[in-house]
Amino acid sequence: MNRVRIAQMQMPVFDNKVKTEKYINEAVKKAADQKADIICLPEMFCCPYQVENFPLYAEGEGERMWKACSAIAKQYGIYLSAGTMPEKSEDGKIYNTAYVFDREGKQIAKHRKAHLFDIDVKGGQYFKESDTLSAGNKATVFDTEFGTFGICICYDFRFPELSRLMALKGAKLIFVPAAFNMTTGPAHWELMFRSQSVNNQVFAVGTAPSRMAGASYQSWGHSIVTDPWGAVVSQMDEKEGMNITEIDLERADEVREQLPLLKQRRTDIYTLKEIE
């Protein structure tokens, strides 16, 4: 199967998990009714994006929010890229973690954010995830009935090595739950997705929270899909909503054949490998 329908949920972030579960269930039902194959949630969809909140909202793998996402995927028979949620590991560390569930509700991927968002832009945004979060250490890909996909989280996508590793592992599409802000969003959001797509000849699906008046962290929104030629296939504005995009994964094969960047790498003069 080459064609896949992807629904992006640009949703508000609630401080109440009951509200979050109700919202997701209703949104996924709506997307499933419109024949979506894969539903995407944003970064920290169940936790207001503040470093002090991450330990407070954190759950272990298999706990409440994980179970809710697994059950929803199974109930509606869809793949669910369940944005990210704060995960508490067995040794007490907190991670920014993305889970993916298949049509049976089985977890088929888990990615812990590898590059922590520690920035201080003069006259703009300051944020330091490392105050409460630990970093993951993998490039993550997973297999579906449509082929091999990759997943990374927001700031991860700025680092070209990680995207290239996923492409070299066979990914033709990369999911990116993200929450760019009002400093970085206008400057780099579309530019980053287009550049990573064209450099690695992949589709990229960036799903963000909607912008919420009064929130301490203002999301840029603008959930986006870019193609292997670097074109914007679809892009939302900042408001709450759902967008469904149908893509043909054969486009990645066509672009890679006509412009064989991955084949023409000079591995005799440079190398890139994931350290096991």
Side-chain angles (χ1 to χ4, degrees):
M1 300 177 67
N2 293 311
R3 289 190 174 274
V4 56
R5 286 174 62 80
I6 298 171
Q8 294 171 279
M9 303 301 178
Q10 188 162 284
M11 59 179 281
V13 177
F14 304 106
D15 59 6
N16 181 300
K17 292 181 181 180
V18 174
K19 289 183 179 179
T20 301
E21 290 174 18
K22 183 175 185 293
Y23 185 99
I24 294 170
N25 188 75
E26 293 174 353
V28 171
K29 181 182 185 303
K30 181 180 177 182
D33 287 345
Q34 297 185 48
K35 308 299 183 183
D37 298 298
I38 302 173
I39 286 83
C40 302
L41 305 181
E43 183 179 22
M44 288 294 176
F45 71 92
C46 57
C47 172
Y49 196 60
Q50 297 168 270
V51 293
E52 61 268 25
N53 284 335
F54 301 152
L56 300 177
Y57 284 75
E59 299 176 352
E61 180 180 330
E63 293 186 4
R64 176 177 179 166
M65 195 55 64
W66 185 100
K67 288 180 178 176
C69 290
S70 172
I72 287 171
K74 183 176 182 178
Q75 179 180 355
Y76 295 106
I78 50 86
Y79 287 91
L80 179 61
S81 174
T84 81
M85 60 185 81
E87 176 210 358
K88 187 175 183 179
S89 65
E90 291 183 356
D91 60 2
K93 292 181 179 179
I94 309 298
Y95 296 92
N96 185 348
T97 301
Y99 299 105
V100 182
F101 301 92
D102 69 10
R103 297 184 189 273
E104 298 297 323
K106 178 184 176 182
Q107 178 183 307
I108 56 173
K110 175 181 179 177
H111 178 76
R112 289 170 168 170
K113 193 173 190 177
H115 302 87
L116 298 183
F117 188 52
D118 289 0
I119 67 160
D120 188 2
V121 179
K122 186 176 181 180
Q125 184 73 45
Y126 170 85
F127 209 85
K128 194 174 183 183
E129 281 188 327
S130 64
D131 281 346
T132 56
L133 295 180
S134 295
N137 59 3
K138 291 187 181 298
T140 305
V141 299
F142 58 97
D143 293 324
T144 73
E145 68 202 67
F146 304 99
T148 302
F149 297 152
I151 187 165
C152 65
I153 302 169
C154 199
Y155 198 50
D156 280 340
F157 205 44
R158 286 184 176 269
F159 295 84
E161 298 89 349
L162 195 65
S163 299
R164 177 55 55 86
L165 282 169
M166 287 186 280
L168 293 177
K169 287 183 171 187
K172 296 180 183 178
L173 181 150
I174 298 174
F175 293 105
V176 190
F180 271 42
N181 55 65
M182 298 302 294
T183 299
T184 59
H188 299 148
W189 177 258
E190 181 179 318
L191 173 66
M192 182 184 71
F193 276 89
R194 294 185 68 187
S195 63
Q196 294 291 39
S197 280
V198 75
N199 288 338
N200 294 293
Q201 301 179 314
V202 295
F203 287 92
V205 179
T207 306
S210 59
R211 197 176 307 164
M212 298 175 63
S216 61
Y217 185 92
Q218 290 290 315
S219 170
W220 173 241
H222 288 79
S223 294
I224 192 170
V225 178
T226 50
D227 78 2
W229 196 250
V232 176
V233 180
S234 65
Q235 185 168 190
M236 302 176 72
D237 57 19
E238 78 284 3
K239 301 179 184 66
E240 174 186 355
M242 177 180 73
N243 185 58
I244 294 181
T245 305
E246 182 169 305
I247 63 172
D248 185 351
L249 291 166
E250 284 190 1
R251 179 61 174 154
D253 295 322
E254 292 173 358
V255 170
R256 291 177 182 186
E257 184 65 29
Q258 296 168 23
L259 191 66
L261 301 182
L262 298 179
K263 292 180 181 178
Q264 293 177 342
R265 291 178 305 117
R266 287 290 307 274
T267 54
D268 57 323
I269 60 174
Y270 51 77
T271 60
L272 175 65
K273 66 177 182 178
E274 184 176 9
I275 298 172
E276 298 295 335

